[in-house]
Amino acid sequence: MIRSRPIEIDGRFVGVAVTQNGKWRFIATEPAARPVEGSLFEALPQLQRRLQSMLAGRFLPPLQHAG
């Protein structure tokens, strides 16, 4: 069974992680995240850390939710 998880960095949706042979493959929806697209990661936190360090400072401050 294929599993998928949305990936958000600083409150912005940047792509989707899907399982492949027991690992996670990243599919970018945010152009700035495309250099990581297709990469395989052992765990989701590893993928999120990679994207966080790569995208640091590229976005406006995180979105604030009303309420």
Side-chain angles (χ1 to χ4, degrees), residues 36-51:
V36 181
E37 187 166 58
S39 297
L40 291 172
F41 296 88
E42 296 290 329
L44 288 175
Q46 181 185 26
L47 165 59
Q48 291 168 319
R49 283 190 302 271
R50 170 81 181 274
L51 286 166

Side-chain angles (χ1 to χ4, degrees), residues 5-58:
R5 297 288 186 274
I7 303 295
E8 289 185 13
I9 301 298
D10 294 335
R12 309 258 181 203
F13 177 67
V14 298
V16 177
V18 295
T19 56
Q20 180 179 342
N21 300 325
K23 296 185 180 182
W24 292 95
R25 178 178 294 278
F26 180 66
I27 301 169
T29 57
E30 166 64 45
R34 290 228 168 94
V36 181
E37 187 166 58
S39 297
L40 291 172
F41 296 88
E42 296 290 329
L44 288 175
Q46 181 185 26
L47 165 59
Q48 291 168 319
R49 283 190 302 271
R50 170 81 181 274
L51 286 166
Q52 180 68 45
S53 65
M54 187 185 87
L55 298 173
R58 289 194 181 188

